[in-house]
PDB file of all heavy atoms in Angstrom:
ATOM      1  N   ALA A 643      21.598  46.303  -7.927  1.00  0.00           N
ATOM      2  CA  ALA A 643      20.758  47.382  -8.451  1.00  0.00           C
ATOM      3  C   ALA A 643      21.411  47.997  -9.690  1.00  0.00           C
ATOM      4  O   ALA A 643      22.615  47.839  -9.918  1.00  0.00           O
ATOM      5  CB  ALA A 643      20.584  48.463  -7.393  1.00  0.00           C
ATOM      6  N   LYS A 644      20.577  48.684 -10.487  1.00  0.00           N
ATOM      7  CA  LYS A 644      21.103  49.404 -11.634  1.00  0.00           C
ATOM      8  C   LYS A 644      21.024  50.887 -11.274  1.00  0.00           C
ATOM      9  O   LYS A 644      19.974  51.364 -10.840  1.00  0.00           O
ATOM     10  CB  LYS A 644      20.206  49.088 -12.830  1.00  0.00           C
ATOM     11  CG  LYS A 644      20.731  49.600 -14.143  1.00  0.00           C
ATOM     12  CD  LYS A 644      19.898  49.006 -15.264  1.00  0.00           C
ATOM     13  CE  LYS A 644      19.636  50.071 -16.301  1.00  0.00           C
ATOM     14  NZ  LYS A 644      18.499  49.841 -17.129  1.00  0.00           N
ATOM     15  N   VAL A 645      22.129  51.602 -11.417  1.00  0.00           N
ATOM     16  CA  VAL A 645      22.120  53.026 -11.064  1.00  0.00           C
ATOM     17  C   VAL A 645      22.103  53.846 -12.351  1.00  0.00           C
ATOM     18  O   VAL A 645      22.946  53.654 -13.224  1.00  0.00           O
ATOM     19  CB  VAL A 645      23.357  53.380 -10.209  1.00  0.00           C
ATOM     20  CG1 VAL A 645      23.368  54.866  -9.886  1.00  0.00           C
ATOM     21  CG2 VAL A 645      23.349  52.561  -8.930  1.00  0.00           C
ATOM     22  N   THR A 646      21.097  54.709 -12.480  1.00  0.00           N
ATOM     23  CA  THR A 646      21.021  55.540 -13.689  1.00  0.00           C
ATOM     24  C   THR A 646      21.057  57.013 -13.309  1.00  0.00           C
ATOM     25  O   THR A 646      20.937  57.365 -12.129  1.00  0.00           O
ATOM     26  CB  THR A 646      19.722  55.263 -14.480  1.00  0.00           C
ATOM     27  OG1 THR A 646      18.620  55.620 -13.648  1.00  0.00           O
ATOM     28  CG2 THR A 646      19.593  53.807 -14.875  1.00  0.00           C
ATOM     29  N   GLU A 647      21.196  57.848 -14.318  1.00  0.00           N
ATOM     30  CA  GLU A 647      21.331  59.285 -14.077  1.00  0.00           C
ATOM     31  C   GLU A 647      19.984  59.997 -14.079  1.00  0.00           C
ATOM     32  O   GLU A 647      19.760  60.934 -13.337  1.00  0.00           O
ATOM     33  CB  GLU A 647      22.236  59.917 -15.150  1.00  0.00           C
ATOM     34  CG  GLU A 647      23.715  59.631 -14.935  1.00  0.00           C
ATOM     35  CD  GLU A 647      24.212  60.117 -13.573  1.00  0.00           C
ATOM     36  OE1 GLU A 647      23.838  61.221 -13.147  1.00  0.00           O
ATOM     37  OE2 GLU A 647      24.950  59.352 -12.907  1.00  0.00           O
ATOM     38  N   SER A 648      19.068  59.541 -14.969  1.00  0.00           N
ATOM     39  CA  SER A 648      17.833  60.324 -15.087  1.00  0.00           C
ATOM     40  C   SER A 648      16.621  59.577 -14.538  1.00  0.00           C
ATOM     41  O   SER A 648      16.553  58.340 -14.558  1.00  0.00           O
ATOM     42  CB  SER A 648      17.604  60.717 -16.538  1.00  0.00           C
ATOM     43  OG  SER A 648      17.526  59.547 -17.299  1.00  0.00           O
ATOM     44  N   VAL A 649      15.665  60.356 -14.039  1.00  0.00           N
ATOM     45  CA  VAL A 649      14.459  59.816 -13.419  1.00  0.00           C
ATOM     46  C   VAL A 649      13.406  59.553 -14.494  1.00  0.00           C
ATOM     47  O   VAL A 649      13.120  60.415 -15.324  1.00  0.00           O
ATOM     48  CB  VAL A 649      13.897  60.837 -12.406  1.00  0.00           C
ATOM     49  CG1 VAL A 649      12.544  60.410 -11.881  1.00  0.00           C
ATOM     50  CG2 VAL A 649      14.881  61.046 -11.273  1.00  0.00           C
ATOM     51  N   SER A 650      12.843  58.338 -14.469  1.00  0.00           N
ATOM     52  CA  SER A 650      11.746  58.047 -15.402  1.00  0.00           C
ATOM     53  C   SER A 650      10.751  57.131 -14.688  1.00  0.00           C
ATOM     54  O   SER A 650      10.972  56.762 -13.539  1.00  0.00           O
ATOM     55  CB  SER A 650      12.282  57.351 -16.646  1.00  0.00           C
ATOM     56  OG  SER A 650      12.544  55.993 -16.341  1.00  0.00           O
ATOM     57  N   LYS A 651       9.709  56.749 -15.406  1.00  0.00           N
ATOM     58  CA  LYS A 651       8.713  55.863 -14.803  1.00  0.00           C
ATOM     59  C   LYS A 651       9.336  54.517 -14.418  1.00  0.00           C
ATOM     60  O   LYS A 651       8.837  53.803 -13.569  1.00  0.00           O
ATOM     61  CB  LYS A 651       7.571  55.625 -15.800  1.00  0.00           C
ATOM     62  CG  LYS A 651       6.432  56.609 -15.593  1.00  0.00           C
ATOM     63  CD  LYS A 651       5.185  56.183 -16.321  1.00  0.00           C
ATOM     64  CE  LYS A 651       5.447  56.093 -17.809  1.00  0.00           C
ATOM     65  NZ  LYS A 651       4.286  56.064 -18.660  1.00  0.00           N
ATOM     66  N   LYS A 652      10.442  54.198 -15.097  1.00  0.00           N
ATOM     67  CA  LYS A 652      11.094  52.904 -14.839  1.00  0.00           C
ATOM     68  C   LYS A 652      11.948  52.935 -13.573  1.00  0.00           C
ATOM     69  O   LYS A 652      12.412  51.914 -13.102  1.00  0.00           O
ATOM     70  CB  LYS A 652      11.980  52.529 -16.025  1.00  0.00           C
ATOM     71  CG  LYS A 652      11.189  52.254 -17.289  1.00  0.00           C
ATOM     72  CD  LYS A 652      11.923  51.236 -18.158  1.00  0.00           C
ATOM     73  CE  LYS A 652      11.182  50.949 -19.440  1.00  0.00           C
ATOM     74  NZ  LYS A 652      11.705  51.717 -20.576  1.00  0.00           N
ATOM     75  N   THR A 653      12.168  54.143 -13.027  1.00  0.00           N
ATOM     76  CA  THR A 653      12.986  54.242 -11.816  1.00  0.00           C
ATOM     77  C   THR A 653      12.215  53.654 -10.634  1.00  0.00           C
ATOM     78  O   THR A 653      11.028  53.930 -10.472  1.00  0.00           O
ATOM     79  CB  THR A 653      13.293  55.731 -11.520  1.00  0.00           C
ATOM     80  OG1 THR A 653      13.751  56.328 -12.720  1.00  0.00           O
ATOM     81  CG2 THR A 653      14.326  55.874 -10.428  1.00  0.00           C
ATOM     82  N   ASP A 654      12.906  52.825  -9.837  1.00  0.00           N
ATOM     83  CA  ASP A 654      12.228  52.268  -8.659  1.00  0.00           C
ATOM     84  C   ASP A 654      12.394  53.169  -7.441  1.00  0.00           C
ATOM     85  O   ASP A 654      11.451  53.418  -6.721  1.00  0.00           O
ATOM     86  CB  ASP A 654      12.799  50.885  -8.338  1.00  0.00           C
ATOM     87  CG  ASP A 654      12.495  49.892  -9.428  1.00  0.00           C
ATOM     88  OD1 ASP A 654      11.303  49.624  -9.624  1.00  0.00           O
ATOM     89  OD2 ASP A 654      13.432  49.426 -10.101  1.00  0.00           O
ATOM     90  N   TYR A 655      13.634  53.614  -7.216  1.00  0.00           N
ATOM     91  CA  TYR A 655      13.889  54.428  -6.034  1.00  0.00           C
ATOM     92  C   TYR A 655      14.694  55.668  -6.409  1.00  0.00           C
ATOM     93  O   TYR A 655      15.641  55.577  -7.189  1.00  0.00           O
ATOM     94  CB  TYR A 655      14.709  53.657  -4.999  1.00  0.00           C
ATOM     95  CG  TYR A 655      14.042  52.414  -4.487  1.00  0.00           C
ATOM     96  CD1 TYR A 655      14.675  51.176  -4.570  1.00  0.00           C
ATOM     97  CD2 TYR A 655      12.779  52.460  -3.894  1.00  0.00           C
ATOM     98  CE1 TYR A 655      14.074  50.024  -4.099  1.00  0.00           C
ATOM     99  CE2 TYR A 655      12.172  51.316  -3.418  1.00  0.00           C
ATOM    100  CZ  TYR A 655      12.818  50.104  -3.523  1.00  0.00           C
ATOM    101  OH  TYR A 655      12.224  48.968  -3.053  1.00  0.00           O
ATOM    102  N   VAL A 656      14.322  56.798  -5.820  1.00  0.00           N
ATOM    103  CA  VAL A 656      15.114  57.996  -5.995  1.00  0.00           C
ATOM    104  C   VAL A 656      15.653  58.362  -4.612  1.00  0.00           C
ATOM    105  O   VAL A 656      14.888  58.608  -3.680  1.00  0.00           O
ATOM    106  CB  VAL A 656      14.265  59.145  -6.571  1.00  0.00           C
ATOM    107  CG1 VAL A 656      15.111  60.393  -6.726  1.00  0.00           C
ATOM    108  CG2 VAL A 656      13.693  58.733  -7.920  1.00  0.00           C
ATOM    109  N   VAL A 657      16.973  58.319  -4.475  1.00  0.00           N
ATOM    110  CA  VAL A 657      17.587  58.620  -3.188  1.00  0.00           C
ATOM    111  C   VAL A 657      17.940  60.107  -3.186  1.00  0.00           C
ATOM    112  O   VAL A 657      18.729  60.559  -4.012  1.00  0.00           O
ATOM    113  CB  VAL A 657      18.858  57.775  -2.971  1.00  0.00           C
ATOM    114  CG1 VAL A 657      19.455  58.065  -1.602  1.00  0.00           C
ATOM    115  CG2 VAL A 657      18.530  56.292  -3.106  1.00  0.00           C
ATOM    116  N   VAL A 658      17.306  60.863  -2.297  1.00  0.00           N
ATOM    117  CA  VAL A 658      17.517  62.310  -2.321  1.00  0.00           C
ATOM    118  C   VAL A 658      18.422  62.755  -1.188  1.00  0.00           C
ATOM    119  O   VAL A 658      18.187  62.468  -0.030  1.00  0.00           O
ATOM    120  CB  VAL A 658      16.181  63.095  -2.258  1.00  0.00           C
ATOM    121  CG1 VAL A 658      15.361  62.871  -3.513  1.00  0.00           C
ATOM    122  CG2 VAL A 658      15.380  62.721  -1.046  1.00  0.00           C
ATOM    123  N   GLY A 659      19.468  63.459  -1.560  1.00  0.00           N
ATOM    124  CA  GLY A 659      20.375  64.055  -0.580  1.00  0.00           C
ATOM    125  C   GLY A 659      19.968  65.507  -0.378  1.00  0.00           C
ATOM    126  O   GLY A 659      18.863  65.911  -0.770  1.00  0.00           O
ATOM    127  N   GLU A 660      20.873  66.268   0.208  1.00  0.00           N
ATOM    128  CA  GLU A 660      20.563  67.676   0.452  1.00  0.00           C
ATOM    129  C   GLU A 660      20.536  68.461  -0.853  1.00  0.00           C
ATOM    130  O   GLU A 660      21.244  68.127  -1.801  1.00  0.00           O
ATOM    131  CB  GLU A 660      21.624  68.260   1.379  1.00  0.00           C
ATOM    132  CG  GLU A 660      21.164  68.207   2.819  1.00  0.00           C
ATOM    133  CD  GLU A 660      22.243  68.671   3.742  1.00  0.00           C
ATOM    134  OE1 GLU A 660      22.827  69.724   3.479  1.00  0.00           O
ATOM    135  OE2 GLU A 660      22.494  67.942   4.720  1.00  0.00           O
ATOM    136  N   ASP A 661      19.716  69.504  -0.871  1.00  0.00           N
ATOM    137  CA  ASP A 661      19.621  70.388  -2.031  1.00  0.00           C
ATOM    138  C   ASP A 661      19.268  69.657  -3.316  1.00  0.00           C
ATOM    139  O   ASP A 661      19.750  70.007  -4.390  1.00  0.00           O
ATOM    140  CB  ASP A 661      20.943  71.166  -2.253  1.00  0.00           C
ATOM    141  CG  ASP A 661      21.279  72.007  -1.038  1.00  0.00           C
ATOM    142  OD1 ASP A 661      20.326  72.526  -0.415  1.00  0.00           O
ATOM    143  OD2 ASP A 661      22.457  72.119  -0.711  1.00  0.00           O
ATOM    144  N   ALA A 662      18.460  68.607  -3.201  1.00  0.00           N
ATOM    145  CA  ALA A 662      18.058  67.906  -4.417  1.00  0.00           C
ATOM    146  C   ALA A 662      17.163  68.847  -5.223  1.00  0.00           C
ATOM    147  O   ALA A 662      16.404  69.627  -4.647  1.00  0.00           O
ATOM    148  CB  ALA A 662      17.319  66.633  -4.057  1.00  0.00           C
ATOM    149  N   GLY A 663      17.232  68.784  -6.525  1.00  0.00           N
ATOM    150  CA  GLY A 663      16.484  69.736  -7.341  1.00  0.00           C
ATOM    151  C   GLY A 663      15.466  69.079  -8.239  1.00  0.00           C
ATOM    152  O   GLY A 663      14.534  68.410  -7.758  1.00  0.00           O
ATOM    153  N   SER A 664      15.657  69.234  -9.550  1.00  0.00           N
ATOM    154  CA  SER A 664      14.627  68.859 -10.509  1.00  0.00           C
ATOM    155  C   SER A 664      14.336  67.352 -10.510  1.00  0.00           C
ATOM    156  O   SER A 664      13.209  66.928 -10.731  1.00  0.00           O
ATOM    157  CB  SER A 664      15.031  69.311 -11.903  1.00  0.00           C
ATOM    158  OG  SER A 664      16.249  68.679 -12.242  1.00  0.00           O
ATOM    159  N   LYS A 665      15.370  66.550 -10.225  1.00  0.00           N
ATOM    160  CA  LYS A 665      15.129  65.099 -10.261  1.00  0.00           C
ATOM    161  C   LYS A 665      14.150  64.689  -9.159  1.00  0.00           C
ATOM    162  O   LYS A 665      13.287  63.852  -9.349  1.00  0.00           O
ATOM    163  CB  LYS A 665      16.442  64.340 -10.090  1.00  0.00           C
ATOM    164  CG  LYS A 665      17.308  64.375 -11.327  1.00  0.00           C
ATOM    165  CD  LYS A 665      18.529  63.496 -11.149  1.00  0.00           C
ATOM    166  CE  LYS A 665      19.583  63.842 -12.179  1.00  0.00           C
ATOM    167  NZ  LYS A 665      20.849  63.160 -11.926  1.00  0.00           N
ATOM    168  N   ALA A 666      14.322  65.314  -7.983  1.00  0.00           N
ATOM    169  CA  ALA A 666      13.432  64.995  -6.865  1.00  0.00           C
ATOM    170  C   ALA A 666      12.011  65.435  -7.206  1.00  0.00           C
ATOM    171  O   ALA A 666      11.034  64.730  -6.915  1.00  0.00           O
ATOM    172  CB  ALA A 666      13.921  65.687  -5.606  1.00  0.00           C
ATOM    173  N   LYS A 667      11.908  66.584  -7.846  1.00  0.00           N
ATOM    174  CA  LYS A 667      10.599  67.118  -8.203  1.00  0.00           C
ATOM    175  C   LYS A 667       9.897  66.170  -9.173  1.00  0.00           C
ATOM    176  O   LYS A 667       8.729  65.812  -9.021  1.00  0.00           O
ATOM    177  CB  LYS A 667      10.792  68.506  -8.826  1.00  0.00           C
ATOM    178  CG  LYS A 667       9.549  69.325  -8.783  1.00  0.00           C
ATOM    179  CD  LYS A 667       9.834  70.800  -9.062  1.00  0.00           C
ATOM    180  CE  LYS A 667       8.669  71.355  -9.828  1.00  0.00           C
ATOM    181  NZ  LYS A 667       9.001  71.941 -11.095  1.00  0.00           N
ATOM    182  N   LYS A 668      10.675  65.735 -10.153  1.00  0.00           N
ATOM    183  CA  LYS A 668      10.107  64.829 -11.160  1.00  0.00           C
ATOM    184  C   LYS A 668       9.658  63.515 -10.495  1.00  0.00           C
ATOM    185  O   LYS A 668       8.606  62.963 -10.823  1.00  0.00           O
ATOM    186  CB  LYS A 668      11.157  64.558 -12.236  1.00  0.00           C
ATOM    187  CG  LYS A 668      10.671  63.645 -13.316  1.00  0.00           C
ATOM    188  CD  LYS A 668      11.335  63.915 -14.654  1.00  0.00           C
ATOM    189  CE  LYS A 668      10.750  63.016 -15.716  1.00  0.00           C
ATOM    190  NZ  LYS A 668      11.715  62.661 -16.748  1.00  0.00           N
ATOM    191  N   ALA A 669      10.466  63.055  -9.538  1.00  0.00           N
ATOM    192  CA  ALA A 669      10.129  61.805  -8.850  1.00  0.00           C
ATOM    193  C   ALA A 669       8.788  61.947  -8.132  1.00  0.00           C
ATOM    194  O   ALA A 669       7.961  61.032  -8.150  1.00  0.00           O
ATOM    195  CB  ALA A 669      11.231  61.454  -7.859  1.00  0.00           C
ATOM    196  N   ILE A 670       8.562  63.114  -7.514  1.00  0.00           N
ATOM    197  CA  ILE A 670       7.296  63.344  -6.810  1.00  0.00           C
ATOM    198  C   ILE A 670       6.158  63.354  -7.820  1.00  0.00           C
ATOM    199  O   ILE A 670       5.124  62.703  -7.624  1.00  0.00           O
ATOM    200  CB  ILE A 670       7.339  64.662  -6.005  1.00  0.00           C
ATOM    201  CG1 ILE A 670       8.367  64.527  -4.881  1.00  0.00           C
ATOM    202  CG2 ILE A 670       5.966  65.001  -5.436  1.00  0.00           C
ATOM    203  CD1 ILE A 670       8.649  65.805  -4.125  1.00  0.00           C
ATOM    204  N   GLU A 671       6.371  64.043  -8.936  1.00  0.00           N
ATOM    205  CA  GLU A 671       5.326  64.101  -9.965  1.00  0.00           C
ATOM    206  C   GLU A 671       4.954  62.709 -10.464  1.00  0.00           C
ATOM    207  O   GLU A 671       3.796  62.396 -10.691  1.00  0.00           O
ATOM    208  CB  GLU A 671       5.813  64.935 -11.158  1.00  0.00           C
ATOM    209  CG  GLU A 671       5.689  66.439 -10.925  1.00  0.00           C
ATOM    210  CD  GLU A 671       6.554  67.230 -11.891  1.00  0.00           C
ATOM    211  OE1 GLU A 671       6.970  66.673 -12.942  1.00  0.00           O
ATOM    212  OE2 GLU A 671       6.816  68.388 -11.601  1.00  0.00           O
ATOM    213  N   LEU A 672       5.990  61.866 -10.609  1.00  0.00           N
ATOM    214  CA  LEU A 672       5.722  60.516 -11.131  1.00  0.00           C
ATOM    215  C   LEU A 672       5.242  59.565 -10.025  1.00  0.00           C
ATOM    216  O   LEU A 672       4.934  58.408 -10.292  1.00  0.00           O
ATOM    217  CB  LEU A 672       6.993  59.938 -11.764  1.00  0.00           C
ATOM    218  CG  LEU A 672       7.450  60.591 -13.079  1.00  0.00           C
ATOM    219  CD1 LEU A 672       8.806  60.039 -13.509  1.00  0.00           C
ATOM    220  CD2 LEU A 672       6.435  60.346 -14.188  1.00  0.00           C
ATOM    221  N   GLY A 673       5.207  60.063  -8.799  1.00  0.00           N
ATOM    222  CA  GLY A 673       4.750  59.234  -7.674  1.00  0.00           C
ATOM    223  C   GLY A 673       5.725  58.105  -7.366  1.00  0.00           C
ATOM    224  O   GLY A 673       5.340  57.025  -6.937  1.00  0.00           O
ATOM    225  N   LEU A 674       7.035  58.322  -7.595  1.00  0.00           N
ATOM    226  CA  LEU A 674       8.033  57.272  -7.357  1.00  0.00           C
ATOM    227  C   LEU A 674       8.336  57.150  -5.864  1.00  0.00           C
ATOM    228  O   LEU A 674       8.033  58.063  -5.090  1.00  0.00           O
ATOM    229  CB  LEU A 674       9.324  57.602  -8.102  1.00  0.00           C
ATOM    230  CG  LEU A 674       9.199  57.740  -9.618  1.00  0.00           C
ATOM    231  CD1 LEU A 674      10.522  58.172 -10.215  1.00  0.00           C
ATOM    232  CD2 LEU A 674       8.751  56.423 -10.239  1.00  0.00           C
ATOM    233  N   VAL A 675       8.967  56.057  -5.500  1.00  0.00           N
ATOM    234  CA  VAL A 675       9.351  55.880  -4.101  1.00  0.00           C
ATOM    235  C   VAL A 675      10.617  56.691  -3.838  1.00  0.00           C
ATOM    236  O   VAL A 675      11.639  56.505  -4.497  1.00  0.00           O
ATOM    237  CB  VAL A 675       9.604  54.398  -3.770  1.00  0.00           C
ATOM    238  CG1 VAL A 675      10.042  54.250  -2.311  1.00  0.00           C
ATOM    239  CG2 VAL A 675       8.362  53.582  -4.041  1.00  0.00           C
ATOM    240  N   ILE A 676      10.502  57.615  -2.900  1.00  0.00           N
ATOM    241  CA  ILE A 676      11.635  58.474  -2.584  1.00  0.00           C
ATOM    242  C   ILE A 676      12.276  58.000  -1.289  1.00  0.00           C
ATOM    243  O   ILE A 676      11.587  57.722  -0.314  1.00  0.00           O
ATOM    244  CB  ILE A 676      11.158  59.933  -2.441  1.00  0.00           C
ATOM    245  CG1 ILE A 676      10.648  60.366  -3.814  1.00  0.00           C
ATOM    246  CG2 ILE A 676      12.268  60.847  -1.938  1.00  0.00           C
ATOM    247  CD1 ILE A 676      10.250  61.795  -3.904  1.00  0.00           C
ATOM    248  N   LEU A 677      13.584  57.867  -1.302  1.00  0.00           N
ATOM    249  CA  LEU A 677      14.281  57.413  -0.100  1.00  0.00           C
ATOM    250  C   LEU A 677      15.215  58.516   0.391  1.00  0.00           C
ATOM    251  O   LEU A 677      15.865  59.186  -0.410  1.00  0.00           O
ATOM    252  CB  LEU A 677      15.143  56.184  -0.405  1.00  0.00           C
ATOM    253  CG  LEU A 677      14.463  54.950  -0.965  1.00  0.00           C
ATOM    254  CD1 LEU A 677      15.512  53.895  -1.296  1.00  0.00           C
ATOM    255  CD2 LEU A 677      13.478  54.379   0.042  1.00  0.00           C
TER     256      LEU A 677
END
Side-chain angles (χ1 to χ4, degrees):
K644 188 170 139 202
V645 178
T646 62
E647 284 302 318
S648 59
V649 172
S650 77
K651 267 194 300 197
K652 294 210 181 98
T653 312
D654 294 296
Y655 299 124
V656 179
V657 182
V658 294
E660 265 175 48
D661 300 324
S664 60
K665 286 186 197 172
K667 200 165 145 237
K668 180 150 183 212
I670 294 172
E671 280 162 18
L672 290 173
L674 301 176
V675 178
I676 295 185
L677 302 176

